[in-house]
Amino acid sequence: MCGIVGYIGHREAYPIILKGLKRLEYRGYDSAGIALFDGTDIKLSKTKGKVDDLQAKLEKEIPTNGNLGIGHTRWATHGVPNDVNSHPHYSNSGNLVIIHNGIIENYESLKKELSKRGYTFKSDTDTEVLVNLIEDVKKNENTKLGKAVQIALNQVVGAYAIAVFDKNKPNEIVVARLGSPLAIGIGDDEFFIASDASPFIEYTKNAIYLEDEEMAVVRRNKGVKVRKIKDDSLVDPYVQELQLNLEQIEKGGYDHFMLKEIYEQPSAILDTFRGRMLPNEGIIKMAGIEDNMKTFLNANRIIVVACGTSWHAGLVSEYIFEDLARIPVEVEYASEFRYRNPVITDKDVVIAISQSGETADTLAAIKLAKSRGAFVFGVCNVVGSSIARETHAGAYTHAGPEIGVASTKAFTTQITVLTLIALRLARAKGTISSSEFRHHMIELELIPEKVKRALDSDAYVKTVADIYKNAKNFLYLGRGYNFPVALEGALKLKEISYIHAEGYPAAEMKHGPIALIDENMPIVVIATKKGHYEKVVSNIQEIKSRKGKIIGIVTEGDEQVRELADHVIEVPETIESLTPLLTTIPLQLLSYHIALMLGKNVDQPRNLAKAVTVE
Ligand code: M6R
């Protein structure tokens, strides 16, 4: 995925676009570029590397004046990250310039056709094909840019959010969306274009989120005209009032977004259950569940579809739903589910979990499930995201913007929402008593304070990180509710420190991974008092007798594991189903500190992007 920004109005476009690209860098950061209209011509600069590299290059290369411009930060799909493949891309005439987030799947056949008509291409990108297709249509049909974009997009297969302008018509930007997000900020005689609202939040609180298959012509001093790409019908766009504020998208004194987001978990979890759960009155209320209670209660099973960390949250929910609500659950990688011809019926409830709400595989899995008659419920963080809109109903996690590529607060807030749902269904089905129901709520209410206490281990976790930072491999073990936490701990370490790590159910160790254990292997074992404690202690004994280095994640006051382990990191006690909300904290901190000590870019690890909007 990539980040796109545009501006048309009365201010200087460059500082707005540059700042916007920095805010969108979480979406992709292998190259970046900006095109500005200086009143006479387009001035364009682009480079491989980050937005800071672009800034250094651009300010030497081109004048930065002009109040129309577009910018792009890229996560490469077609063509390696280099200067030439970076966006924006010119059309052959040099009149049009475009930025694009997404993939044009039929670009090769389009390119062949255009080549036959004399077009040449400098880059390997699908985007350069698209801008020339638009130019070709515009010329052949002798039409305005908006119409040409529309005709061209009707020939395109794939996904896109685009912004394009014509230097001969510098009073408009044409934008369109299919499968990739695109927001238009509405100011006073000025308009902002962006992949999300963060680039323009200090200028306006009013935004239009284009729907799939919609395009808009954004005209200086005139406004925004939205229409359907397919049938040309005009759309009356809904202008949404943004809840986002500037503080939420800045680092607020922390060195990294990841650290800030780890520390935001007490409030993020609280915000997620606040207003939905009233322990004293014995009530959990969530509109998406209440409105569809019958569907949930009549469901044969729940199928969870998700990717990465969200998939791990889905695995935790399998334990919660089965344990509390006695509903069978299957947890599927969205990417496998969508290509497996799965058996789905109208008796299935599908829960799609996604922080970004834009993950292409999860979105495709939702569409497949819907086409087979299933009811699909979304658990998303980003309000108004594609997945939030594509699902029949849903519940938001109230984590606030998550910018660090390594997901942290999204994971714990997803577990929080899923716990609320499971508890609500369990009560409705009568699979837990009212006192158990109340007890769970009281324990959940205590979690934000307990997460704060778990965060107190930070300094000690840092010393542990220092000892093991040069290890080549790590194992993470957990049982029951904490098996998915072991997977999540390993994923966190891999993605930001590039150390190979594997998560396993502790009991599976003896079926293979035990062969890896020697005195050089650090093994993180989640061994909280609630949840197969004695069994896990036996697993720790097995590791110890093979000289593995044991880092135990234990309940406060634990003595038994302390005796055996090389290090113990304590978390407060809670009921078993809520332990993942605490045990995951030291694992996030461990990966953060190791990555930092190894000099890695914690917030923007190599090869990754915050939302994977391509297959
Ligand atoms: O936005 P989503 O939750 O759908 O994203 C799913 C995964 O791409 C995401 O969790 C990824 O694994 C993170 N980088 C993990 O930290």
Side-chain angles (χ1 to χ4, degrees):
M1 78 177 191
C2 309
I4 67 176
V5 193
Y7 176 79
I8 184 163
H10 43 79
R11 300 175 209 246
E12 287 298 313
Y14 174 62
I16 296 170
I17 293 172
L18 187 73
K19 195 164 7 114
L21 288 182
K22 287 186 180 171
R23 291 197 187 144
L24 290 181
E25 226 176 356
Y26 74 89
R27 301 178 62 84
Y29 36 80
D30 58 46
S31 47
I34 291 179
L36 300 165
F37 182 75
D38 68 359
T40 321
D41 209 346
I42 297 170
K43 299 286 185 286
L44 188 152
S45 177
K46 53 190 190 172
T47 186
K48 177 177 182 219
K50 309 228 180 236
V51 177
D52 280 342
D53 301 315
L54 172 70
Q55 182 176 7
K57 184 174 182 230
L58 182 146
E59 288 173 10
K60 279 189 222 137
E61 238 175 41
I62 59 167
T64 59
N65 61 304
N67 36 39
L68 162 64
I70 53 178
H72 189 269
T73 176
R74 179 169 187 247
W75 185 76
T77 56
H78 291 71
V80 294
N82 61 25
D83 292 2
V84 178
N85 288 334
S86 313
H87 300 210
H89 288 282
Y90 279 120
S91 63
N92 274 193
S93 70
N95 290 337
L96 307 187
V97 68
I98 195 170
I99 47 174
H100 167 216
N101 167 30
I103 291 183
I104 307 301
E105 287 171 16
N106 59 338
Y107 84 106
E108 291 212 48
S109 57
L110 293 168
K111 192 172 183 176
K112 264 190 207 143
E113 280 305 309
L114 289 165
S115 301
K116 279 188 208 152
R117 296 209 281 279
Y119 286 86
T120 56
F121 300 90
K122 293 194 177 83
S123 74
D124 305 319
T125 65
D126 49 349
T127 307
E128 197 187 5
V129 174
L130 178 59
V131 71
N132 281 304
L133 178 64
I134 296 168
E135 175 152 292
D136 191 54
V137 172
K138 189 168 179 303
K139 208 166 61 189
N140 293 340
E141 307 278 329
N142 191 19
T143 182
K144 290 182 179 166
L145 179 62
K147 193 74 198 162
V149 167
Q150 186 183 14
I151 296 170
L153 290 179
N154 276 312
Q155 297 176 33
V156 153
V157 179
Y160 50 77
I162 59 163
V164 53
F165 72 84
D166 178 350
K167 73 173 184 186
N168 299 315
K169 277 270 185 173
N171 282 326
E172 64 183 33
I173 303 181
V174 178
V175 298
R177 160 193 173 141
L178 175 61
S180 302
L182 198 138
I184 305 169
I186 319 283
D188 278 344
D189 288 338
E190 61 179 346
F191 301 95
F192 307 81
I193 314 293
S195 299
D196 69 37
S198 62
F200 54 79
I201 194 67
E202 62 264 60
Y203 305 106
T204 178
K205 291 276 184 212
N206 298 320
I208 295 169
Y209 285 89
L210 282 194
E211 298 284 344
D212 273 348
E213 302 189 336
E214 284 181 0
M215 59 175 290
V217 179
V218 182
R219 285 204 183 95
R220 195 193 302 276
N221 302 329
K222 286 213 173 126
V224 180
K225 209 162 240 178
V226 181
R227 53 180 77 238
K228 294 270 179 212
I229 295 169
K230 274 211 178 109
D231 64 12
D232 200 40
S233 56
L234 272 176
V235 174
D236 188 13
Y238 172 64
V239 180
Q240 189 166 321
E241 199 184 322
L242 300 168
Q243 301 301 326
L244 199 65
N245 63 50
L246 204 53
E247 233 170 59
Q248 288 176 300
I249 54 168
E250 290 184 339
K251 283 189 200 148
Y254 287 90
D255 289 340
H256 298 95
F257 281 112
M258 182 183 177
L259 191 62
K260 176 183 174 232
E261 288 155 9
I262 290 173
Y263 272 85
E264 278 173 347
Q265 289 175 107
S267 58
I269 294 170
L270 178 64
D271 289 345
T272 298
F273 67 64
R274 202 200 315 260
R276 289 169 163 168
M277 176 179 89
L278 301 168
N280 292 334
E281 280 110 271
I283 292 173
I284 288 178
K285 243 196 199 159
M286 302 168 87
I289 301 295
E290 304 310 322
D291 295 348
N292 299 288
M293 186 56 91
K294 259 199 192 145
T295 312
F296 276 99
L297 296 182
N298 291 334
N300 281 344
R301 58 179 179 164
I302 291 174
I303 302 170
V304 175
V305 292
C307 302
T309 290
S310 298
W311 184 76
H312 295 154
L315 279 183
V316 175
S317 82
E318 180 175 18
Y319 290 83
I320 314 176
F321 279 116
E322 295 199 342
D323 202 8
L324 302 180
R326 310 300 300 145
I327 304 173
V329 176
E330 284 165 37
V331 186
E332 301 263 6
Y333 284 116
S335 52
E336 288 298 314
F337 179 82
R338 61 181 290 196
Y339 287 119
R340 197 165 47 75
N341 193 16
V343 178
I344 315 165
T345 72
D346 58 4
K347 281 283 195 189
D348 292 322
V349 166
V350 171
I351 299 185
I353 309 173
S354 174
Q355 185 288 128
S356 62
E358 300 297 342
T359 301
D361 285 319
T362 309
L363 203 48
I366 292 167
K367 288 180 181 162
L368 174 69
K370 277 170 74 179
S371 73
R372 308 241 170 129
F375 171 78
V376 186
F377 188 89
V379 173
C380 294
N381 190 39
V382 177
V383 176
S385 56
S386 303
I387 291 176
R389 285 190 284 186
E390 190 64 40
T391 42
H392 293 114
Y396 285 113
T397 52
H398 295 167
E402 192 182 65
I403 313 281
V405 164
S407 199
T408 51
K409 60 178 180 171
F411 181 62
T412 45
T413 53
Q414 285 164 348
I415 294 172
T416 304
V417 164
L418 293 160
T419 302
L420 291 175
I421 299 172
L423 281 170
R424 178 68 189 95
L425 296 181
R427 195 62 207 116
K429 281 186 75 180
T431 48
I432 56 173
S433 67
S434 67
S435 65
E436 281 172 305
F437 183 57
R438 212 173 273 249
H439 180 56
H440 273 86
M441 285 192 281
I442 289 166
E443 285 293 334
L444 182 55
E445 205 175 29
L446 295 173
I447 287 293
E449 272 314 304
K450 292 185 179 179
V451 172
K452 274 191 199 154
R453 260 162 55 203
L455 287 164
D456 288 343
S457 66
D458 196 358
Y460 181 62
V461 174
K462 198 169 167 187
T463 62
V464 176
D466 198 29
I467 297 168
Y468 296 105
K469 62 179 185 289
N470 293 317
K472 296 280 168 273
N473 302 285
F474 266 74
L475 268 184
Y476 286 73
L477 303 178
R479 286 186 91 130
Y481 280 94
N482 281 296
F483 157 54
V485 178
L487 296 179
E488 175 59 9
L491 175 64
K492 285 291 87 85
L493 188 70
K494 273 186 275 212
E495 68 180 331
I496 60 169
S497 70
Y498 320 146
I499 294 174
H500 172 247
E502 286 191 53
Y504 262 94
E508 270 294 302
M509 186 183 64
K510 55 186 170 299
H511 298 287
I514 199 164
L516 295 168
I517 296 176
D518 62 16
E519 64 282 5
N520 299 316
M521 174 70 94
I523 300 145
V524 180
V525 189
I526 304 163
T528 48
K529 277 275 157 60
K530 302 278 165 54
H532 317 287
Y533 178 70
E534 294 304 334
K535 304 266 178 218
V536 179
V537 171
S538 305
N539 297 139
I540 291 175
Q541 302 271 20
E542 289 156 11
I543 299 166
K544 195 165 172 67
S545 40
R546 280 146 189 101
K547 300 195 170 56
K549 298 282 181 283
I550 300 158
I551 304 162
I553 309 298
V554 300
T555 307
E556 278 170 353
D558 180 287
E559 290 302 332
Q560 212 176 337
V561 176
R562 189 175 288 277
E563 291 271 297
L564 298 168
D566 296 270
H567 316 271
V568 289
I569 303 168
E570 292 188 339
V571 295
E573 185 159 13
T574 185
I575 53 172
E576 188 186 358
S577 65
L578 300 179
T579 52
L581 294 170
L582 303 178
T583 52
T584 196
I585 306 294
L587 306 192
Q588 295 169 345
L589 290 169
L590 185 66
S591 60
Y592 171 78
H593 288 302
I594 290 179
L596 205 61
M597 286 170 188
L598 295 177
K600 306 298 182 213
N601 187 335
V602 170
D603 283 336
Q604 296 173 346
R606 70 182 179 203
N607 304 338
L608 287 171
K610 184 64 186 158
V612 184
T613 54
V614 294
E615 272 191 55

